[in-house]
C-alpha cells in the first residue's frame, strides 16, 4: 500500500532543474532512504514531498490526495518533516519545543487539551527525553538535540516522518542511537520513515527500501539486497568498490577502493621483496 507518490515530478530553483520528470513510490509502513552524490537532488526531493517546495511540473500524492491542494494543517496532521540542522529559539526548553508539534491541532476554538499533554508525554518517553524536558535545547549535546527535534515530530502524531540527513554532524555512537530510535518507531508503531542518508552501509542496514538518485532521475529503487552492487555504486557515486555482506546483519556492505593504509598490500609487497633478496 502506498503512502506517498511523486508523479512526473520536475523540481528546480530559478532556471536550474534539479529533478526532472521523476516518478517514485514510498512504501507504507517501511523505512525508505534516499541515496546519491552531493547535489543530486535528494534533499530537494524530500522537501517537495513535504510541500516545502512547489514543483515546476507534476505533483506529490499523499494518501490519495494531491498535496498541493490540501490545507496546510491537514498536511501537518498526516506528515511531519525534520529538516537538516534545525535551529530553535535561544532558551527554548525541550518540552516547549515538543509542544510545537501540536500546532496543527490548534484552532481559535480548540485550546491546549489533555490529548495534547498525552501526545507530548508519549513523544518524550519514546525518545528518552523526559529527564531533559526542562533543559534549553541549545544546551544539549548533538544527539540529545536531535532526539528533541524527533520528539517534536512524533508529537504531531503523523503516520509519515521525513528526515533530511538526521545523523549529520553526529559521532558514530549518536548516529546509531538516532537510527535505532527511528527503526524502533517503525517496528513498534508502523510509521513510514523517509530519510536522506550519506552513509551507504547504514542505509543498507536500516532501510527496507532504497532510492538511488542520479542525473535528476531515479537510477534504481528497491530493497538493499536487490539494488546495491559495484556497478550501481560506480554509476551513482563514481566510485569503485567491492560489495560484500555485513557479518552481523547480513545486509550489503560497500568497501570503497582508495589509497588508505592497506596491511594486506604491505605484507604482500614485503614478501615479494624478501623473495627477491633470497
Amino acid at each position: 500500500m502506498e503512502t506517498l507518490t511523486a508523479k512526473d515530478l520536475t523540481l528546480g530553483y530559478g532556471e536550474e532543474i534539479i529533478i526532472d520528470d521523476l516518478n517514485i513510490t514510498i512504501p507504507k509502513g517501511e523505512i525508505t532512504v534516499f541515496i546519491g552524490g552531493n547535489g543530486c537532488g535528494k534533499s530537494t526531493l524530500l522537501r517537495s514531498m513535504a510541500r516545502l517546495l512547489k514543483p515546476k511540473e507534476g505533483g506529490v500524492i499523499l494518501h490519495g490526495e494531491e498535496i498541493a491542494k490540501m490545507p496546510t494543517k491537514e498536511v501537518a496532521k498526516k506528515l511531519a518533516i525534520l529538516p537538516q540542522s534545525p535551529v530553535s529559539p535561544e532558551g527554548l526548553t525541550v518540552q516547549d519545543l515538543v509542544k510545537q508539534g501540536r500546532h496543527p491541532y490548534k484552532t481559535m476554538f480548540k485550546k491546549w487539551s489533555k490529548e495534547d499533554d498525552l501526545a507530548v508525554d508519549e513523544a518524550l518517553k519514546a525518545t528518552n527525553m523526559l529527564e531533559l524536558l526542562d533543559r534549553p535545547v541549545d544546551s544539549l549535546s548533538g544527539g540529545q538535540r536531535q532526539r528533541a527535534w524527533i520528539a517534536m515530530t512524533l508529537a504531531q502524531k503523523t503516520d509519515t516522518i521525513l528526515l533530511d540527513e538526521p545523523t549529520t554532524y553526529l559521532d558514530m555512537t549518536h548516529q546509531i542511537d538516532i537510527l535505532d530510535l527511528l527503526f524502533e518507531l517503525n517496528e513498534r508503531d508502523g510509521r513510514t520513515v523517509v530519510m536522506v542518508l550519506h552513509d551507504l552501509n547504514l542505509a543498507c542496514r536500516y532501510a527496507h527500501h532504497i532510492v538511488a538518485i542520479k542525473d535528476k532521475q531515479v537510477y534504481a529503487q528497491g530493497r538493499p539486497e536487490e539494488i546495491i552492487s559495484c556497478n550501481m555504486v560506480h554509476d551513482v557515486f563514481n566510485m569503485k568498490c567491492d560489495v560484500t555482506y555485513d557479518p552481523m546483519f547480513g545486509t550489503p556492505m560497500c568497501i570503497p577502493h582508495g589509497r588508505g593504509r592497506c596491511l594486506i598490500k604491505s605484507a604482500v609487497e614485503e614478501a615479494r621483496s624478501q623473495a627477491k633478496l633470497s
Side-chain angles (χ1 to χ4, degrees):
M1 182 178 179
E2 300 172 3
T3 182
L4 261 179
T5 61
K7 293 186 176 180
D8 307 322
L9 192 63
T10 297
L11 306 169
Y13 303 97
E15 298 298 317
E16 183 182 8
I17 300 299
I18 306 296
I19 295 292
D20 190 19
D21 196 27
L22 177 145
N23 290 278
I24 189 175
T25 296
I26 304 297
K28 183 176 176 60
E30 295 191 350
I31 297 176
T32 295
V33 174
F34 294 166
I35 63 171
N38 289 338
C40 73
K42 303 182 297 296
S43 295
T44 298
L45 176 59
L46 195 79
R47 284 172 51 81
S48 75
M49 301 191 99
R51 213 182 69 166
L52 298 180
L53 179 65
K54 184 179 179 180
K56 291 182 175 293
E57 299 287 344
V60 176
I61 309 300
L62 174 62
H63 296 326
E65 298 182 65
E66 190 171 343
I67 197 171
K69 297 179 179 179
M70 296 171 63
T72 299
K73 284 195 173 183
E74 287 305 308
V75 173
K77 290 176 184 178
K78 297 180 178 180
L79 180 151
I81 182 167
L82 180 59
Q84 186 181 156
S85 304
V87 178
S88 63
E90 186 176 354
L92 188 74
T93 67
V94 169
Q95 186 176 45
D96 288 338
L97 174 66
V98 177
K99 284 182 175 181
Q100 298 300 311
R102 301 303 297 166
H103 177 71
Y105 301 91
K106 301 296 102 187
T107 67
M108 286 182 61
F109 305 103
K110 186 178 180 183
K111 305 303 181 183
W112 194 264
S113 66
K114 290 183 178 180
E115 181 182 358
D116 296 316
D117 279 328
L118 181 61
V120 170
D121 286 344
E122 288 178 349
L124 289 167
K125 287 177 183 176
T127 52
N128 293 321
M129 293 297 290
L130 271 175
E131 294 182 359
L132 300 173
L133 61 86
D134 292 323
R135 286 273 299 277
V137 176
D138 52 15
S139 73
L140 302 177
S141 69
Q144 291 170 336
R145 192 178 303 121
Q146 197 71 320
R147 278 182 170 269
W149 282 99
I150 291 173
M152 187 197 73
T153 66
L154 295 185
Q156 281 183 236
K157 288 290 185 178
T158 63
D159 293 330
T160 303
I161 303 174
L162 278 57
L163 306 103
D164 190 0
E165 300 185 31
T167 59
T168 299
Y169 307 126
L170 298 182
D171 61 32
M172 187 178 297
T173 298
H174 288 109
Q175 287 183 42
I176 298 300
D177 186 43
I178 292 299
L179 292 173
D180 279 350
L181 168 62
L182 295 169
F183 187 81
E184 289 165 10
L185 292 171
N186 169 261
E187 289 277 290
R188 186 183 66 231
D189 302 333
R191 295 181 190 243
T192 302
V193 178
V194 186
M195 294 186 282
V196 173
L197 289 180
H198 280 297
D199 190 309
L200 188 56
N201 292 332
L202 289 179
C204 289
R205 178 180 292 189
Y206 287 93
H208 302 100
H209 189 78
I210 284 182
V211 179
I213 308 295
K214 169 74 173 178
D215 293 334
K216 306 174 185 178
Q217 287 279 338
V218 173
Y219 173 90
Q221 61 177 315
R223 298 198 171 274
E225 57 271 22
E226 296 171 345
I227 70 165
I228 301 300
S229 67
C230 297
N231 288 337
M232 188 283 287
V233 174
H234 182 268
D235 290 346
V236 172
F237 295 95
N238 193 28
M239 179 181 70
K240 292 182 178 180
C241 74
D242 290 332
V243 174
T244 181
Y245 287 91
D246 187 314
M248 184 173 292
F249 293 88
T251 52
M253 185 169 68
C254 174
I255 304 175
H257 294 182
R259 292 181 56 83
R261 189 173 67 93
C262 181
L263 297 178
I264 295 176
K265 182 177 179 181
S266 298
V268 170
E269 290 178 346
E270 183 176 351
R272 287 175 176 170
S273 298
Q274 292 295 329
K276 288 179 180 180
L277 291 175
S278 61

